[in-house]
Structure formats: C-alpha cells, structure tokens
Amino acid sequence: MPTFRNPVLPGCHPDPSICRVGADFYLVTSSFAYFPGLPVFHSRDLVRWRQLGHVVDRPGLLPLEGLDVSDGLWAPTIRHHEGRFYVVSTLAVERRGRTTFVATADDPAGPWSDPVPLEAEGIDPSLFFDDDGRCWFTACRDAAGDVGPGELWMRELDLERLKLVGPTHVLWHGAVRGAWVEAPHLYKRDGTYHLIAAEGGTERNHSVTAARAGTVTGPYVTDPRSPLLTHRHRDPGEPVHNVGHADLVDTPDGETWAVTLGVRPIDGTHTLGRETFLVPVTWTPAGPVFAPESGGVRLDERLPSIAAALPEDEPPAGREHFDGPVLGPEWNSLRGPVDHLTGDGLEIEAGPEPLSTLGVPAFVGRRQQHVRFRARTSLTFTGARPGAEAGLAVFQNQDQHATLTLIDGEAVLTVRESGVPTRLATAPVHGEIVLEVEGDETGYTFRAGCATTRATTRATTPATTPATTPATTWATLGTVERAVLSTERAGGFVGVYLGLYACGTGRARFGWFDYEPA
C-alpha cells in the first residue's frame, strides 16, 4: 500500500485548519508573535503543501510588539463560502484572548482584508456555514459556575456586516470533567451536527473529543466514545505525542481526512514545535472514527486516494541567495517588519533591540523542520562599532536561545537560558566569514570559518576564466544541549527558528543561506 510520511507540515505549524474548494485544499496555522502572521498553504493531494502567503501581512494591522513569542495570533480557522474565503483568529496577550477578528479574501494568496474585530470573548474561533446559508461563529471561553472550567459557545455571524448578531448559545462543556475544552469545529452529516473539540491541554493529555445534536444550536450530547483521538495513553517512547486540535475535510472522491497537531519528542523533549499531521477518518452511525486502521497518528500513513502517486523524496532546501525582490514566505521576523534589502544577498541594518527583548529586533528567520539538519550563512559586517553583533541565531524565545555572532573581530557563541546569557566560546575570524549550526538528537553544534586561501575550479568552457571558490578554515566553538531549546525547558507553544540578525550599529550582509536536512 502506498504511504506518505507524516508530518505533512514539519516544524512549528500548530492548530491547523483546512477547507476545500473543488480540487484544491487550503490550510492555515497559528503564527504567534511572528510577522507576517497566519501562513496560508495550498495542496491538491493533502500531502504536498506550498505556502501562498499570509493573512496578516501588512504592518500595523494587529499590535504584536511587546508580546511574548508564544502570545500573538492563535488558532485560526479557514472556511470558504460562495466565492469568498474567511479566516477567524484571536490575538492573545498574556495567554488570554484579547481580540477576535475575521479577515476575508477572494483569493487565498491575498490580498486579505484588514482584520475586522468581532464582539467575541475567549479563543479558538471557528465558522460553520449551514445548508440554509447562515453562518455560525463558535469559540471557547471560561465557563460560569462549576460546570467548567471552559465552555463552547455560538452566535450567528452576519456576513454582510461581518458582525455577530442574535443570542449567544452555550453548546457544551466538554467530555472530561475539570478539563478545559477548546478548538471547536462544527460539521453536518446526514442531518446530525457533530461538534469536534480538543481537551486536556496542549501537552501529553491533549485529545480530540466530540458531541452531537439534532439542531445547530443544540443541545449537544457528549459522544460517549470520547476521546476519539489521543496519544495520552501511549508509551513515552512512541514517536508522536500531544495529539489534538483536529479539523476535518472531505476529498472530491468521498474520503474524509483530519489535520491535527502533534509533536515528535526525543527523550521527552521536542524542539520542532507542534507540527501538522494528516490522519484518515471514516464515518459510522455513531460519528467520525479517527485513524480506523491504527487508532493513532502514524509517521507512515496510507496515501489519500486523490494522490495519484507517491510524493517525491523531499529535496534539499538548497541555497537561498536572497536574489528576489522580497523574502520568500517561509521567512518571518519578530513582532513586526524589519528593514532589509534583497537582490544581492540579504542586508540588515543593525537595530537597538537585542533578541532578549519584547521589541522588534533586526531578525529574520525560518522554522527548524528537521531534528538533523545543517544551516550555514556567509556574513560581512561593516560599520560596526564596538560591541555590535551580527550572525546566526537558534531562537526558541526571548529568554531561551543560542547565537553565533561576529563581535569585535571574533566569532562568539552565547547561550541564553532563563534570561541569563553565558558566553561559551570565541574564535578569531576576519573578512567574509561563514557561520554554521548543525543539529541532531543530542544538540546544536556551532562552527565558524573564514576564507583563508582560494581553490581553482575547472572552467566551464575553454574561453572562460577559471573560477575560484574560497577554501574555508573551520573552528568548532561548542555544542548546546538540544533540551535547552526545547518547549519543555523553555515553556510556551512554539518551536525553534533559525535566524539571521544584527544588533547595535552597522550593516550585516548575508550573502546566502543554506538549510539542509540530514
């Protein structure tokens, strides 16, 4: 039986939501305090995904500056109705919902409208379009009294005014007494409304639970089979844990699949963040059955029937020369846009904000997507005053990260844990330098090199002048334990980013960037 390899979106892509338009599938995930926010992906087979852009891609739309990295844009839902795409999401501050909003677009690649605030409390908003064309907004919030701690609630969304109208309906308080219920999504099957939710938190007890009703506003009755999907009972040594937060989609040929989040821990810790996995679903008179063949999320799963052939092996990411007019959609900054130039490398003007603040540092990064990888970049740093730094960052959050930077003519390896920086090693460098980090199951090993001699390569044609490439002399500065940059050690909800940054004064030019899975 042909299979594919989970996760379908490796690296920090949590809280996935999915919809289908004809033969095309569209998916969004949380982005927290990274900018641009709410990445949008497209696929034809549910396995191979290409990023189209972001929903929140213009400065000033939502206030991210001053937020912890794990605050920001949480748990979006994407839906399509009568030619228009809708995304609802929440801006979270200090781990609580501050503003819930809706954005719309005729093309999921954008442009998306400015976010429209909704009169909604809580987090994890979702939309459901019923057969009569009415749109229902659902979310989760703190419950009143002793029925909680959380509850799912509903109001109608006026699509013309993008405003919640009518009465509030409390739908459900979850299947597990004393557990917070979140991530509501509604589906209608054979006249029955199925409410899928998540309970148990986002760690080991995470799970998918369900309720059902004969009318859209309820009352909803707990599906006694809950949880329908969880790995809370699995052996700690299993490759996937923390499974939950599911959204369902039907394929054109009648299959149902779920996207769900999970993590891949090693020795009890993970650095890649919560990733997006694909799980088969079948329907029975009792409701949906997740992973009917296995009972859980598998790294190797059967291929959807719409996928005509096995996905090709993942090619190396290759060298990014930053030769386009803008950065690719896989690159993000922290809390807001960063002034930069592309076209002949990436140039970043050093800024006053270090990575350890809640401001907008001069940083651009991309997700770490593999435990085993190697990332390299070339750097020249001009106009730097004493103490200024530029280089490569392995970034978990503002209090937990490692940097390999050029400072006052030396390559310096520093690790910050619980907000306390420790300089681990230095090495003298000069000219254009190359910075490298290599990751594996044990840790992150940092190296710095500089071009000291030049090696001649054969000319491509007899009339061509022989080409030269720099021969690099390497110095290994040290290894940072992988667990130091894990979510379990650092807290929060995000995975590691690999970034380029500059702090102080001067101009950093990154000639290229390599990211290679091992």
Side-chain angles (χ1 to χ4, degrees):
M1 179 176 62
T3 62
F4 68 91
R5 185 73 173 172
N6 260 323
V8 292
L9 282 179
C12 186
H13 294 101
D15 311 321
S17 176
I18 191 170
C19 72
R20 177 174 69 88
V21 183
D24 298 285
F25 299 91
Y26 301 98
L27 185 148
V28 294
T29 70
S30 296
S31 57
F32 305 100
Y34 285 99
F35 178 87
L38 303 182
V40 182
F41 299 87
H42 168 260
S43 177
R44 280 291 186 96
D45 61 10
L46 293 173
V47 174
R48 289 164 284 199
W49 292 90
R50 179 176 66 89
Q51 188 171 349
L52 301 177
H54 295 83
V55 175
V56 181
D57 61 358
R58 301 180 297 280
L61 295 181
L62 292 166
L64 297 176
E65 191 167 354
L67 299 185
D68 179 88
V69 174
S70 288
D71 286 330
L73 302 183
W74 282 10
T77 295
I78 186 169
R79 295 292 184 257
H80 180 266
H81 178 70
E82 295 185 349
R84 177 159 292 184
F85 290 87
Y86 298 81
V87 166
V88 286
S89 184
T90 299
L91 173 68
V93 177
E94 295 181 349
R95 304 299 195 268
R96 296 185 65 85
R98 171 70 61 84
T99 303
T100 294
F101 62 90
V102 58
T104 63
D106 297 327
D107 183 341
W112 287 83
S113 71
D114 288 357
V116 177
L118 298 174
E119 187 183 349
E121 59 180 316
I123 59 172
D124 293 9
S126 184
L127 297 178
F128 170 71
F129 292 91
D130 210 344
D131 298 336
D132 58 6
R134 297 173 76 181
C135 179
W136 296 94
F137 173 96
T138 59
C140 62
R141 66 186 182 186
D142 292 331
D146 60 354
V147 294
E151 66 184 16
L152 305 184
W153 62 277
M154 166 187 284
R155 285 184 76 188
E156 187 175 357
L157 177 64
D158 183 323
L159 296 178
E160 292 296 325
R161 296 183 292 163
L162 293 181
K163 182 178 180 180
L164 296 180
V165 296
T168 297
H169 304 273
V170 175
L171 302 182
W172 193 43
H173 295 97
V176 181
R177 184 78 173 180
W180 176 267
V181 60
E182 57 190 350
H185 292 305
L186 268 175
Y187 315 90
K188 190 175 184 180
R189 198 84 171 189
D190 299 328
T192 298
Y193 295 89
H194 296 269
L195 180 59
I196 302 296
E199 296 184 56
T202 61
E203 298 178 347
R204 278 296 300 273
N205 290 327
H206 209 27
S207 66
V208 177
T209 57
R212 56 193 293 168
T215 60
V216 68
T217 57
Y220 281 82
V221 178
T222 299
D223 187 329
R225 303 172 302 149
S226 296
L228 304 187
L229 180 68
T230 187
H231 281 203
R232 64 174 63 158
H233 59 294
R234 300 292 185 102
D235 184 271
E238 289 227 1
V240 182
H241 283 287
N242 302 18
V243 171
H245 204 115
D247 196 8
L248 307 184
V249 69
D250 292 331
T251 65
D253 59 0
E255 287 189 339
T256 301
W257 288 81
V259 288
T260 184
L261 66 79
V263 304
R264 292 181 286 168
I266 299 172
D267 297 328
T269 64
H270 71 282
T271 54
L272 301 184
R274 297 172 297 161
E275 306 172 284
T276 294
F277 293 79
L278 187 64
V279 181
V281 176
T282 59
W283 287 90
T284 71
V289 177
F290 289 77
E293 297 95 342
S294 63
V297 179
R298 298 188 290 196
L299 292 182
D300 287 296
E301 184 55 81
R302 68 174 177 85
L303 203 64
S305 59
I306 57 172
L310 284 170
E312 298 176 0
D313 291 337
E314 182 182 21
R319 176 160 292 186
E320 170 64 78
H321 288 282
F322 305 109
D323 52 4
V326 295
L327 289 171
E330 71 275 17
W331 291 91
N332 297 110
S333 53
L334 278 164
R335 307 181 189 92
V338 170
D339 290 336
H340 64 274
L341 295 174
T342 59
D344 182 20
L346 170 67
E347 291 190 2
I348 300 177
E349 190 74 29
E353 297 279 358
L355 292 174
S356 57
T357 72
L358 299 180
V360 182
F363 165 95
V364 295
R366 51 151 296 162
R367 295 164 179 84
Q368 179 190 343
Q369 295 181 280
H370 308 81
V371 173
R372 296 182 181 182
F373 75 95
R374 186 182 69 180
R376 280 182 177 177
T377 188
S378 69
L379 169 65
T380 54
F381 193 23
T382 58
R385 294 181 180 176
E389 60 181 300
L392 184 64
V394 180
F395 186 83
Q396 224 290 336
N397 62 39
Q398 62 275 358
D399 292 326
Q400 211 95 354
H401 53 263
T403 58
L404 179 57
T405 55
L406 180 62
I407 306 176
D408 300 333
E410 290 187 311
V412 179
L413 174 61
T414 303
V415 63
R416 177 178 288 267
E417 184 170 13
S418 301
V420 179
T422 302
R423 181 175 288 197
L424 300 182
T426 63
V429 291
H430 57 85
E432 181 176 0
I433 67 171
V434 178
L435 304 176
E436 175 184 289
V437 57
E438 187 171 3
D440 60 21
E441 291 83 353
T442 61
Y444 298 87
T445 299
F446 294 84
R447 301 181 183 92
C450 51
T452 55
T453 61
R454 301 188 71 83
T456 301
T457 60
R458 189 178 62 180
T460 56
T461 66
T464 303
T465 302
T468 58
T469 57
T472 304
T473 300
W474 291 97
T476 299
L477 281 84
T479 299
V480 174
E481 181 188 359
R482 187 186 58 82
V484 169
L485 301 179
S486 69
T487 301
E488 288 77 9
R489 190 97 148 241
F493 306 131
V494 300
V496 166
Y497 263 66
L498 306 172
L500 311 173
Y501 89 105
C503 180
T505 57
R507 180 172 290 271
R509 179 184 178 275
F510 301 93
W512 46 264
F513 179 86
D514 288 341
Y515 177 84
E516 299 173 341

